[in-house]
Amino acid sequence: MVKVTKDVALQNRESLLQAAGQTLRAEGVQAATVAAIAGKVGLTHGAIYRQFESKDALASAAITADFDRILAVLERIDRAGGGLAAYFRTYLAPDHRDHFVWGCPVAPLAAEMGRAAEPVQTAFAAGLHRNLEAIARLSRIADPAQAKDFAIFALATLSGAMAMARATRGCDPETSTAILEAALRALLADPRVPATPSA
Amino acid sequence: MVKVTKDVALQNRESLLQAAGQTLRAEGVQAATVAAIAGKVGLTHGAIYRQFESKDALASAAITADFDRILAVLERIDRAGGGLAAYFRTYLAPDHRDHFVWGCPVAPLAAEMGRAAEPVQTAFAAGLHRNLEAIARLSRIADPAQAKDFAIFALATLSGAMAMARATRGCDPETSTAILEAALRALLADPRVPATPSA
DNA sequence: TGTACATCAGTGAACGCGCGTTCACTGATGTAC
DNA sequence: TGTACATCAGTGAACGCGCGTTCACTGATGTAC
């Protein structure tokens, strides 16, 4: 079958965005190939160029969608009353380190963004901004400047620890886990994080 | 001139290691090309293969040399009595964000290491371990476990903030600088960091 | 100290290879009548 | 409701291109005598 319902085409677009997000987080923007992304959805690379102008355009859209997803997760945590502690525990879990189906785009992509193409960079910067605002809301810190400061500090620690944990996972798994645990302890011990039972 | 003194050859090897370190930090391991590294020293790519077995072997050696350099910087700060505060201020300076002649390899490379070749990964993991030990020493925290915890937390925050600052530098310079400043405030406010005058 | 010769760091053309992108083609979909 | 036809999402071969790596070659260095 070479032609497809408009509905299916739209579904394919969404699937491509999801697959692209996952692949970018797992491999990085440059290392991820359009063929691999298309293949993950069961399409060929040519299909991508019917839906997106270029690899960069796909990457930009995928990164924006990724941050949308992260914001939804944060709102869900907020509504469930989990607060910062729940966010930190979810983020610094071995499951988040080991799998890329879901996950934060900051840890795997931030380092690469400085040298990425302009539209990709812009999409990331906008997403990061929204992410920081969402963490600031979740913190329930009244003063906006202090809330923003805390959000930056928290996401820096979270993403930095995750990058270090993933870097050491292969040849030094104990250090990798120790990194996650130490960062979690440090964040939970922060006086601005309300104490909550760990279970 | 095609043949060169043994001394010059050894100097070239050192120059290649330095250029490789700088290029890797600026571009990432995958994006950095052997031709670019050789060109930075005034040699051609073929010369690299007389000194190193492969690009990965060069990268491994360059990363190890990079961490050697960082350890030397940390020891210098320690001997000068600067302590953690001096380290944090040096790390989170705009100068460190904008230039790659010197600089920490963790912020630009950690995210990429999880998918790097085995020898590169090993070199990075070993270097990271030494880096953490050096920060633990600098902290002057008596309990070894607490010192290690703090070192992990500090380097995670530093490298995470630097990656985020570099990511936003292009299209959102104010946020970029705000990230550096917020992370520095957070780290200097930590009770484990002895207060020091900012100038 | 001179001389003849082997060494080997560096060169640069050439190689595979994989990537992003293009494009002629396909044929079911969806529309105009 | 049928019929004829235009549309356009997806295919896959083909394209440039840049990369890591190889290798025959060069000629000053350094050594053996």
Side-chain angles (χ1 to χ4, degrees):
Chain A
M1 64 226 70
V2 229
K3 175 71 173 173
V4 118
T5 320
K6 279 191 177 179
D7 264 5
V8 173
L10 235 131
Q11 280 173 32
N12 283 347
R13 191 188 163 89
E14 286 307 310
S15 300
L16 283 172
L17 276 176
Q18 265 195 35
Q22 185 176 336
T23 311
L24 293 188
R25 270 176 275 122
E27 313 280 347
V29 177
Q30 212 206 335
T33 67
V34 293
I37 293 167
K40 210 166 278 185
V41 185
L43 298 172
T44 61
H45 60 277
I48 283 182
Y49 290 88
R50 290 286 153 189
Q51 300 274 7
F52 303 93
E53 214 179 302
S54 63
K55 183 190 175 185
D56 279 343
L58 169 60
S60 303
I63 285 170
T64 300
D66 249 22
F67 277 109
D68 289 345
R69 187 179 41 75
I70 289 293
L71 289 212
V73 168
L74 280 168
E75 269 183 34
R76 207 176 312 136
I77 289 176
D78 203 5
R79 276 202 303 273
L84 289 172
Y87 175 47
F88 295 161
R89 285 200 183 90
T90 308
Y91 197 111
L92 294 169
D95 190 54
H96 184 202
R97 176 195 58 191
D98 299 341
H99 302 105
F100 293 94
V101 180
W102 60 285
C104 171
V106 179
L109 298 181
E112 206 182 346
M113 283 302 111
R115 46 185 190 262
E118 199 270 325
V120 180
Q121 215 169 121
T122 305
F124 185 87
L128 180 61
H129 193 256
R130 291 190 296 149
N131 198 345
L132 288 171
E133 278 181 335
I135 298 173
R137 275 196 300 278
L138 190 67
S139 79
R140 303 253 188 269
I141 296 172
D143 180 63
Q146 281 183 26
K148 192 190 164 197
D149 258 40
F150 180 77
I152 290 170
F153 159 69
L155 191 52
T157 308
L158 290 170
S159 62
M162 182 53 70
M164 281 164 48
R166 282 176 178 152
T168 52
R169 199 197 158 213
C171 35
D172 194 353
E174 295 106 39
T175 297
S176 179
T177 305
I179 288 167
L180 293 182
E181 291 172 353
L184 184 56
R185 273 195 295 274
L187 285 172
L188 292 181
D190 192 285
R192 287 162 292 191
V193 180
T196 36
S198 58
Chain B
M1 63 226 73
V2 230
K3 176 68 174 176
V4 117
T5 319
K6 278 191 176 179
D7 264 5
V8 173
L10 234 130
Q11 280 173 33
N12 283 348
R13 189 188 164 90
E14 286 308 309
S15 302
L16 283 171
L17 276 176
Q18 265 194 35
Q22 184 176 338
T23 312
L24 294 189
R25 268 175 277 122
E27 313 278 349
V29 177
Q30 214 206 331
T33 67
V34 293
I37 294 167
K40 210 166 278 184
V41 186
L43 298 172
T44 61
H45 59 277
I48 284 182
Y49 290 87
R50 291 283 153 192
Q51 300 274 6
F52 302 95
E53 211 178 306
S54 63
K55 183 191 175 185
D56 279 343
L58 169 61
S60 303
I63 285 171
T64 300
D66 249 20
F67 277 108
D68 288 345
R69 187 180 40 74
I70 290 293
L71 289 212
V73 169
L74 280 168
E75 268 184 35
R76 206 176 313 135
I77 289 176
D78 202 6
R79 274 202 303 273
L84 288 171
Y87 174 48
F88 296 161
R89 284 199 182 90
T90 308
Y91 197 112
L92 293 168
D95 189 54
H96 183 200
R97 175 193 61 190
D98 300 340
H99 302 105
F100 293 92
V101 180
W102 60 286
C104 171
V106 178
L109 298 181
E112 206 182 347
M113 284 300 111
R115 46 185 190 264
E118 198 270 326
V120 181
Q121 218 171 118
T122 304
F124 185 86
L128 179 59
H129 193 258
R130 290 190 295 150
N131 198 344
L132 289 172
E133 278 180 336
I135 298 173
R137 273 196 300 278
L138 190 66
S139 78
R140 302 253 187 270
I141 296 173
D143 179 63
Q146 281 184 27
K148 192 189 164 195
D149 258 41
F150 180 76
I152 289 170
F153 159 70
L155 190 52
T157 308
L158 290 169
S159 63
M162 182 52 70
M164 282 164 47
R166 282 177 178 150
T168 52
R169 200 198 159 211
C171 33
D172 193 353
E174 295 105 39
T175 296
S176 179
T177 305
I179 288 167
L180 293 182
E181 291 171 354
L184 183 56
R185 275 194 295 274
L187 285 172
L188 292 181
D190 192 284
R192 287 163 292 193
V193 180
T196 37
S198 57

